[in-house]
Amino acid sequence: MPLANVLRNFKVFDVATDSDIFDITILGGGPVGLYAAYYAGLRQMRTKIIDSLDQLGGQLATLYPEKYIYDVAGFPKVIARDLVKNLVDQAQQYEPQVCLSQTVKTLTRDEAAQCFVLSSDQEVHRSRTVLICAGAGAFQARKLPVAEAAQWEGRGVHYSVGSKQVFAGKRLLIIGGGDSALDWAMNLHGTASQITIIHRRNQFRAHEDSVSKTMAMGIPILTFWELKSLVVTDNHLSGAVLVNNQTHAEQTIQVDAILPQLGFISSLGAIKDWPIQIRGQSILVDQKMQTNLPGVFAAGDVAGFDGKLKLIATGFGEAATAVNFAKTLLDPKAKAFPGHSSEMGPQTLTTIGTSADVTVA
């Protein structure tokens, strides 16, 4: 089932009423943003999600929908598209409004209305609190530093995996030493006829367990080797010339497809011009996940603090923390700790609107 179909029960809006003020607006519809929407509903907050993509799910949906995710609590492994669907189903219990294919450009404060004003490339949104779950921001894959690679994108050189069947029966070269490279090697084992991994170093950024499991599958991992050039036969990719960066020796291997996993180049875009503190590509937050601007929070990969770990699992916790403290700004009588979900499940809650006398402290 296409991921876009999971939106069928969401209220997706193209144009919002300018005077319509939400309790919390979540910027980013990836896994952390979706979990934040669920938790905001649990706290009876009127919620909106805005995302620049045309579907929910972030990188999980757009870059690797068929990739297994191994480090989400409760799932020994889960396919990315299934995790997205479950997160969408979880959030939709409270019917957040969803605005897709919109990029928010500016953030200002309307003191008279006691709300933030978010102007996108299509409309204006108003919200009493804001939660930025922008992931790594706008991103694009790091390209191969090989001149002829660009003309073979989508015809042998692939930077993402939309369908594993693209690699069925093919001799696949995976480039990289991070989790994505090794996870894809394991995921595509049995789909591709042959898999080889090359990495420019003998140290890996991937989890140790992933390295061990990949080796146990018998997938060759060639360290200190890099791609030098492509071999083309009869207008088809047929091989790769590799060079050892220690000995300068060269070898040619037969490949039908190349999957570079060299990371991403990201940018915060317009967010970097907002009146919030930023260090590098991270938005600085405190223990409450709040920025220097009261009422504006951040969670997930975009949030930065000492001891930060960029994992989906930790992002979920950050989202819950941000939402709960946003709730206390809206209602000073509310507790940051809402109690356990088993004691106040969706069946016991009634979604409420935003009362006119609620203000941000």
Side-chain angles (χ1 to χ4, degrees):
M1 176 186 295
L3 279 173
N5 289 351
V6 302
L7 288 172
R8 62 189 181 281
N9 294 323
F10 266 105
K11 293 181 179 179
V12 180
F13 290 79
D14 294 324
V15 179
T17 303
D18 189 49
S19 60
D20 202 8
I21 302 176
F22 284 72
D23 290 326
I24 187 167
T25 294
I26 300 166
L27 305 184
V32 173
L34 287 169
Y35 188 71
Y38 155 73
Y39 219 95
L42 199 66
R43 295 307 308 265
Q44 299 186 338
M45 300 168 73
R46 190 158 177 262
T47 305
K48 177 184 286 185
I49 302 172
I50 305 174
D51 198 289
S52 60
L53 300 175
D54 61 359
Q55 61 180 316
L56 294 172
Q59 291 188 32
L60 296 188
T62 58
L63 294 183
Y64 36 79
E66 294 198 2
K67 180 182 176 183
Y68 278 114
I69 308 298
Y70 296 96
D71 56 359
V72 176
F75 295 94
K77 62 179 181 179
V78 57
I79 295 176
R81 66 165 179 268
D82 293 337
L83 178 60
V84 170
K85 182 183 184 304
N86 288 343
L87 286 164
V88 168
D89 289 345
Q90 185 180 39
Q92 75 174 8
Q93 298 173 87
Y94 302 103
E95 298 185 342
Q97 290 193 10
V98 178
C99 300
L100 299 175
S101 301
Q102 289 195 36
T103 300
V104 175
K105 301 293 188 181
T106 62
L107 170 71
T108 57
R109 178 78 180 161
D110 184 342
E111 292 297 344
Q114 288 291 288
C115 71
F116 293 98
V117 180
L118 298 145
S119 298
S120 78
D121 49 0
Q122 297 183 34
E123 56 184 297
V124 174
H125 306 268
R126 295 178 178 271
S127 185
R128 289 187 162 82
T129 62
V130 176
L131 174 53
I132 304 171
C133 298
F139 57 88
Q140 62 179 18
R142 291 186 183 276
K143 301 301 179 72
L144 284 173
V146 176
E148 66 268 32
Q151 62 183 298
W152 291 99
E153 287 186 22
R155 299 191 299 140
V157 176
H158 306 269
Y159 291 97
S160 62
V161 181
S163 171
K164 289 166 58 172
Q165 289 306 305
V166 171
F167 303 97
K170 293 185 177 180
R171 298 163 297 183
L172 173 62
L173 173 64
I174 297 178
I175 304 175
D179 282 308
S180 290
L182 274 69
D183 286 352
W184 273 126
M186 290 186 285
N187 287 343
L188 293 168
H189 183 65
T191 299
S193 63
Q194 176 183 314
I195 298 176
T196 302
I197 300 173
I198 61 171
H199 183 40
R200 61 187 178 87
R201 301 187 298 160
N202 63 351
Q203 295 177 324
F204 297 87
R205 291 175 287 108
H207 289 87
E208 295 87 345
D209 183 63
S210 296
V211 178
S212 298
K213 286 180 176 177
T214 301
M215 290 181 172
M217 288 179 172
I219 299 173
I221 301 178
L222 308 181
T223 55
F224 297 119
W225 288 88
E226 301 181 39
L227 178 67
K228 180 179 180 180
S229 60
L230 307 180
V231 179
V232 176
T233 304
D234 296 329
N235 203 33
H236 291 283
L237 181 65
S238 61
V241 179
L242 311 180
V243 59
N244 187 295
N245 59 31
Q246 301 292 301
T247 67
H248 306 292
E250 295 185 9
Q251 65 167 308
T252 300
I253 63 173
Q254 294 181 322
V255 300
D256 306 301
I258 299 176
L259 181 61
Q261 296 294 286
L262 306 176
F264 297 93
I265 300 171
S266 61
S267 170
L268 291 177
I271 293 176
K272 68 181 183 298
D273 298 321
W274 295 0
I276 54 178
Q277 291 182 351
I278 294 173
R279 180 183 298 156
Q281 293 296 311
S282 297
I283 297 172
L284 299 183
V285 296
D286 60 18
Q287 297 95 327
K288 298 178 180 180
M289 307 309 298
Q290 186 169 222
T291 70
N292 62 295
L293 193 61
V296 178
F297 298 78
D301 284 358
V302 76
F305 52 87
D306 289 343
K308 171 73 177 187
L309 292 175
K310 294 187 177 183
L311 299 170
I312 293 176
T314 54
F316 288 158
E318 294 169 11
T321 299
V323 168
N324 282 323
F325 283 104
K327 175 68 175 182
T328 65
L329 285 181
L330 296 176
D331 180 5
K333 296 180 181 179
K335 295 180 179 180
F337 176 60
H340 299 101
S341 61
S342 58
E343 300 168 352
M344 58 166 197
Q347 67 276 9
T348 66
L349 297 177
T350 302
T351 303
I352 60 175
T354 304
S355 61
D357 59 351
V358 174
T359 59
V360 176

